[in-house]
Amino acid sequence: MQKKDIKWSELGFDYLKTDRSYISYWKDGSWDNGALVEEDTVTINQGSTALHYGQQCFEGLKAYTNKDGGIQLFRPEENALRMQRSCKRLLMPEVPVEKFVNACIELVKANEAYVPPYGTGATLYLRPFVIGVGENIGVRPAKEYIFGIFCMPVGPYYKGGMSPVNYITTNYDRAAAHGTGKDKVGGNYAASLLAHQEAVDKGFADCIYLDPGTHTKIDEVGAANFFAITKDNRFVTPDSSSILPSITKLSLLHVAKEYLGLETAQESVYIDKLDEYAEAGACGTAAVITPIGGIEHNGKLHVFHSETEVGPMVKKLYDTLSGIQTGDVEAPEGWITKVK
């Protein structure tokens, strides 16, 4: 397959139209078979619930090229299951796991020319979504839905790649304790835009959200999950009812324990006890792992390992997980779906 003439190593995390997208319609109680299309636009009724009431959800996952030229997806079934939970929360029809995974495979094959070569540091990012559409006006679930997926080659989410960045706490809440924080719905991200911009304007990569109940514990890092390495070498990530269950974080919990021999825990991480942690990071599909240099809270910057160098355990976690994703490290059973 002849690859597109793209400067792979210079890619950022930006939109780029590829040859095909996938789209499927739900009507009269069932999904149709779905199809690959050339268009990168979707036409919907002006009364669609996705536009007015936020009845929509989305996912993010990646396709990777390994050394022998094969292409593989990382844990797509987990994305399918998380999308089902999001759909259920918003009273939308669930997309069957098999339909979701097969659609991802079809889409990657159709856009193989855009899958970055091995060793470039770039990947093919897939964005599945479900939206409520059709003729609606009242606050109620739609009668019709669209399940779509588009993709594009991307580079690092942050321009610096695996370089430590600093964050600052915010007084804004990303999601309520018993709201939609555990679901990947657009409203959570719309609510984060102002806090993110204020953090960037102050010179930080993003903001740190504290628990909505007491504002004493770390919840999330912008649009990513938080983790830390304690000074006695435990892998810790916050336990909260308003945190999106990141597939990257769940994978890191396994990698930390089974590959690196660390004790792991999901527990409260208090913002006033950051000196208990030697290293910290943000994790998610887009960024994989972003090392956290420091966190500013109430005007004071707490620095973890370093503001300029990646900590040794964060680097081991990154190298192991990215090695699994690209096929350089043997993956746990069921984590890899071969495309070709």
Side-chain angles (χ1 to χ4, degrees):
M1 167 64 69
Q2 182 67 37
K3 296 292 184 181
K4 295 291 182 179
D5 185 18
I6 295 173
K7 294 180 179 178
W8 307 105
S9 61
E10 297 180 13
L11 286 171
F13 197 81
D14 302 297
Y15 183 87
L16 189 154
K17 184 184 183 302
T18 52
D19 291 342
R20 295 289 187 275
S21 297
Y22 173 91
I23 194 163
S24 180
Y25 295 89
W26 190 91
K27 191 174 182 180
D28 298 327
S30 63
W31 291 105
D32 67 10
N33 291 330
L36 294 171
V37 297
E38 294 183 12
E39 297 81 12
D40 65 343
T41 57
V42 177
T43 301
I44 61 175
N45 185 277
Q46 61 190 348
S48 294
T49 58
L51 296 176
H52 302 276
Y53 307 124
Q55 197 187 23
Q56 61 91 259
C57 66
F58 68 99
E59 278 297 322
L61 66 157
K62 289 179 176 179
Y64 304 81
T65 302
N66 54 35
K67 276 184 179 178
D68 64 8
I71 300 172
Q72 57 194 40
L73 293 165
F74 180 71
R75 308 193 75 177
E77 292 85 1
E78 291 297 324
N79 290 96
L81 291 170
R82 188 170 65 181
M83 176 169 269
Q84 286 187 341
R85 295 193 294 270
S86 297
C87 286
K88 187 176 181 179
R89 178 65 174 83
L90 298 191
L91 294 181
M92 299 193 294
E94 298 174 20
V95 178
V97 172
E98 185 177 9
K99 179 181 180 71
F100 180 102
V101 175
N102 287 342
C104 289
I105 292 173
E106 284 183 38
L107 183 67
V108 174
K109 286 181 176 179
N111 292 289
E112 184 179 345
Y114 293 90
V115 182
Y118 174 84
T120 59
T123 53
L124 188 76
Y125 181 80
L126 283 69
R127 171 58 59 83
F129 62 90
V130 175
I131 56 175
V133 299
E135 300 174 354
N136 304 281
I137 193 61
V139 183
R140 54 180 173 266
K143 295 180 180 178
E144 300 175 17
Y145 296 86
I146 290 175
F147 164 48
I149 317 176
F150 59 98
C151 65
M152 70 215 68
V154 298
Y157 189 75
Y158 294 113
K159 292 295 184 183
M162 264 292 282
S163 299
V165 293
N166 292 344
Y167 296 84
I168 185 171
T169 57
T170 178
N171 289 324
Y172 291 109
D173 292 328
R174 172 185 164 274
H178 301 289
T180 57
K182 282 193 171 183
D183 306 295
K184 200 167 177 66
V185 298
N188 296 342
Y189 294 82
S192 74
L193 295 176
L194 178 58
H196 168 78
Q197 189 59 53
E198 289 185 354
V200 170
D201 288 345
K202 293 175 182 176
F204 295 88
D206 209 333
C207 62
I208 297 277
Y209 291 102
L210 303 178
D211 71 292
T214 68
H215 275 208
T216 61
K217 299 175 286 187
I218 291 179
D219 251 14
E220 289 206 290
V221 184
N225 276 192
F226 175 87
F227 71 89
I229 308 298
T230 65
K231 290 182 177 179
D232 59 354
N233 255 2
R234 291 191 308 125
F235 177 97
V236 172
T237 188
D239 180 28
S240 166
S241 63
S242 56
I243 293 175
L244 180 74
S246 162
I247 293 162
T248 304
K249 180 192 74 176
L250 295 175
S251 301
L252 285 174
L253 281 164
H254 182 89
V255 167
K257 182 178 181 180
E258 302 300 333
Y259 286 70
L260 303 183
L262 303 181
E263 182 183 342
T264 62
Q266 297 186 67
E267 61 189 30
S268 296
V269 177
Y270 289 93
I271 191 63
D272 62 354
K273 295 183 178 180
L274 296 182
D275 57 357
E276 296 180 0
Y277 307 100
E279 303 176 45
C283 62
T285 297
V288 187
I289 290 178
T290 299
I292 298 178
I295 295 175
E296 182 173 309
H297 179 62
N298 291 338
K300 181 180 179 182
L301 179 68
H302 174 88
V303 177
F304 293 98
H305 176 75
S306 167
E307 290 185 79
T308 57
E309 296 181 1
V310 181
M313 197 55 68
V314 168
K315 187 175 189 309
K316 285 181 182 179
L317 287 165
Y318 176 83
D319 289 345
T320 305
L321 182 60
S322 61
I324 290 171
Q325 292 170 332
T326 58
D328 292 337
V329 175
E330 186 175 354
E333 186 176 354
W335 279 26
I336 299 299
T337 295
K338 293 287 187 181
V339 174
K340 63 163 286 190

